[in-house]
Amino acid sequence: MKKKFLLVIFLVGSLVFAQDIDDDFDAIFENAGDITAEENDKINSPRPITGNVFPNSSIFKFYGHNKSEMGLIYGHRFGDLEEKYFDKGKIEVREGEFYRENWGAGYFDFENHISFVARPDDSFAIHGNLCTTFFPIKWVNDQKSTLYFDYMAGHNCIVSAGKKTLNWGYVRIFNNVTDYSQEERLTTNIVADSESSIIGSLTFPLSFMTATGVILYNFKNGVEFSKDNPPKLDELSYAGSLEFSFLQASLNLYFRRTARDVSSLNAENETPYGINNVIGIEAKRTVFGFDSYVQNTFRFNSPENLRSITSINSKSEVITFGTYRLWERWGFNAEFQNFYSIEEKSNSQRIALDLGVRKVGPKKDLKLILQWRHDTNNFSSDGEFLDNSWVKLGLVKSNFFKHLDWVNGVQVHYRLKDEPGVYQARLASYFTLNIDY
């Protein structure tokens, strides 16, 4: 049973201290009135949209996007902590056991994407993207640059291979590349490391089900392979999913068998170990106008993996709940995740909330956004906090000049890595120039 529903991307990023708040805020409402898709097509789908995937005529398209930012940032930090955590040259006031410091700085960033797609006929297409960034300073950014092909073999088989980033799962915020590291995103997107891998995939779209299989080779493990020295089966990762659509709902079953990390050795017996294998299930359905989803993932070690890298990869169960809804002017997304360590018999949680409103002010050219990220333990192996508990408020004035937006925001961090007693606030004001060509 097929039904058309509203498809809107709700991704929220950061300002200087958090890039892309203006672009991602726009994405909350982008084309909200006329973008539709089939019920079983999800935003982070493990398969391409089926149907008329390729055009019936030859085409070569060359396009790009440039984003440049420039502005100022001011920071203030204080807390009940040892003096070694503060820059002695910046400390201005010491009151009792509290230390305080202030700083200011200019800010500049640059990112340019040049992309192309070539489709010689209706069965084959090759895609490429070359990304140049200022932070880090690289002419080619390995994480964001892509080159892969899609090939349709008949009506029910799509082959894809190359350097390509995959996004699996219904979870949105916890799979946000701006706010979370690759390791953290692996709790909800089991192929998040595809951005640093070479992949090959097969997709079989059927009327009631879509089956997908993926092979990943992470080229960061330091081992060079050749025709005479091909990778062994246990040096490749495998993932698969079966997605069903019924009763206006989507159900996805998935698994992953993870390769041994042949560059990482156990210090005692030099036996290779790697991250965990995964099995899981997730479901999504619209309830009272809210797109609601739940995901349950189990992680465990295979016999050859003697130990895991971090507690994210220990024997564990991860349950994630989420819901979002878009109105004409408002956007809402909330997610909750519980991580249960089977070995340690302990729980830790993280919460994420995004709220947005547009068309504010006399000229209807202002946008407001509120974000909250809170981690009780952040799933680290040694109990340290990561820089992921914060509250952020942003105000964006659209079209300050042509293609130019003015972004202002404040962000308060209250759980900093290695500094649990420190609070930090940052103010930023900058201009962002976005041009598609």
Side-chain angles (χ1 to χ4, degrees), residues 36-190:
T36 59
E38 295 185 1
E39 171 64 27
N40 64 345
D41 174 39
K42 55 185 180 295
I43 287 179
N44 291 319
S45 176
R47 51 164 175 70
I49 299 175
T50 58
N52 187 20
V53 178
F54 304 117
N56 294 321
S57 60
S58 300
I59 186 174
F60 180 83
K61 186 177 181 180
F62 184 83
Y63 56 98
H65 177 77
N66 178 276
K67 179 178 180 180
S68 299
E69 298 174 339
M70 182 173 64
L72 299 173
I73 182 172
Y74 168 79
H76 176 75
R77 188 164 68 150
F78 70 96
D80 184 5
L81 197 66
E82 297 180 29
E83 187 175 358
K84 65 180 182 180
Y85 290 107
F86 288 83
D87 186 339
K88 294 182 180 180
K90 294 181 178 179
I91 295 177
E92 296 182 354
V93 180
R94 178 176 179 179
E95 300 176 355
E97 299 297 324
F98 284 85
Y99 291 86
R100 299 176 183 272
E101 63 181 4
N102 301 276
W103 73 93
Y107 170 78
F108 173 78
D109 196 13
F110 168 88
E111 182 173 306
N112 189 78
H113 292 263
I114 298 178
S115 305
F116 74 89
V117 57
R119 293 181 174 129
D121 55 42
D122 60 357
S123 65
F124 182 83
I126 185 167
H127 309 262
N129 174 62
L130 179 66
C131 177
T132 302
T133 61
F134 190 79
F135 291 112
I137 301 176
K138 289 184 178 181
W139 289 111
V140 177
N141 188 317
D142 292 338
Q143 297 289 329
K144 295 182 179 181
S145 298
T146 61
L147 183 62
Y148 64 96
F149 74 84
D150 291 323
Y151 173 67
M152 179 166 282
H155 297 288
N156 295 311
C157 180
I158 301 173
V159 183
S160 185
K163 177 68 171 60
K164 179 181 181 180
T165 299
L166 301 175
N167 286 292
W168 282 20
Y170 302 131
V171 177
R172 297 165 176 269
I173 301 179
F174 293 140
N175 192 29
N176 188 329
V177 298
T178 303
D179 294 341
Y180 297 100
S181 67
Q182 181 183 108
E183 187 179 27
E184 292 171 304
R185 287 182 285 119
L186 280 168
T187 61
T188 57
N189 175 13
I190 66 171

Side-chain angles (χ1 to χ4, degrees), residues 12-15 17-19 21 173-174 176 178-180 184 351-355 369-376 378 386-394 410-417 423-426:
V12 186
S14 22
L15 288 154
F17 40 90
Q19 302 173 6
I21 188 174
I173 301 179
F174 293 140
N176 188 329
T178 303
D179 294 341
Y180 297 100
E184 292 171 304
I351 302 170
L353 175 66
D354 289 338
L355 295 172
I369 192 165
L370 173 67
Q371 295 178 273
W372 179 41
R373 305 286 187 266
H374 178 77
D375 294 0
T376 61
N378 208 42
L386 295 183
D387 196 2
N388 263 345
S389 289
W390 45 263
V391 178
K392 184 189 306 177
L393 180 64
V410 57
Q411 183 178 30
V412 177
H413 294 257
Y414 56 93
R415 293 167 72 90
L416 296 174
K417 183 179 181 180
Y423 296 83
Q424 180 172 281
R426 285 185 278 187

Side-chain angles (χ1 to χ4, degrees), residues 211-400:
T212 305
V214 176
I215 298 176
L216 303 95
Y217 168 65
N218 193 322
F219 51 80
K220 288 189 174 183
N221 65 6
V223 178
E224 294 185 2
F225 296 110
S226 65
K227 292 182 179 179
D228 298 328
N229 181 34
K232 300 179 178 62
L233 293 179
D234 59 359
E235 293 169 340
L236 298 173
S237 296
Y238 307 88
S241 73
L242 292 174
E243 186 183 22
F244 302 87
S245 179
F246 58 93
L247 300 177
Q248 302 180 12
S250 297
L251 177 68
N252 189 28
L253 308 175
Y254 56 89
F255 77 93
R256 170 167 172 158
R257 195 274 184 192
T258 302
R260 295 182 303 160
D261 186 351
V262 294
S263 67
S264 301
L265 301 177
N266 185 299
E268 297 180 357
N269 54 22
E270 297 187 351
T271 301
Y273 67 91
I275 65 174
N276 294 77
N277 300 324
V278 177
I279 58 173
I281 182 173
E282 61 181 355
K284 183 182 73 168
R285 195 181 194 282
T286 300
V287 181
F288 300 115
F290 289 83
D291 190 10
S292 303
Y293 44 92
V294 59
Q295 183 187 82
N296 193 1
T297 298
F298 294 90
R299 300 170 181 274
F300 54 93
N301 291 327
S302 59
E304 67 269 22
N305 293 340
L306 299 183
R307 64 185 179 90
S308 57
I309 298 174
T310 71
S311 63
I312 287 182
N313 302 309
S314 64
K315 296 178 181 179
S316 59
E317 178 186 16
V318 182
I319 301 177
T320 307
F321 300 91
T323 183
Y324 82 97
R325 184 171 179 177
L326 276 298
W327 294 268
E328 181 183 358
R329 295 180 57 197
W330 292 84
F332 167 83
N333 197 182
E335 290 182 358
F336 170 83
Q337 185 176 88
N338 183 77
F339 174 88
Y340 175 69
S341 174
I342 298 175
E343 296 174 339
E344 300 175 1
K345 296 183 179 180
S346 62
N347 290 278
S348 56
Q349 297 81 31
R350 57 181 178 176
I351 302 170
L353 175 66
D354 289 338
L355 295 172
V357 59
R358 67 172 183 175
K359 296 182 179 179
V360 179
K363 297 182 179 180
K364 307 295 183 182
D365 60 350
L366 299 179
K367 294 173 286 187
L368 289 169
I369 192 165
L370 173 67
Q371 295 178 273
W372 179 41
R373 305 286 187 266
H374 178 77
D375 294 0
T376 61
N377 189 30
N378 208 42
F379 320 112
S380 62
S381 58
D382 51 12
E384 293 181 348
F385 300 126
L386 295 183
D387 196 2
N388 263 345
S389 289
W390 45 263
V391 178
K392 184 189 306 177
L393 180 64
L395 173 66
V396 181
K397 178 175 175 55
S398 302
N399 296 317
F400 190 82

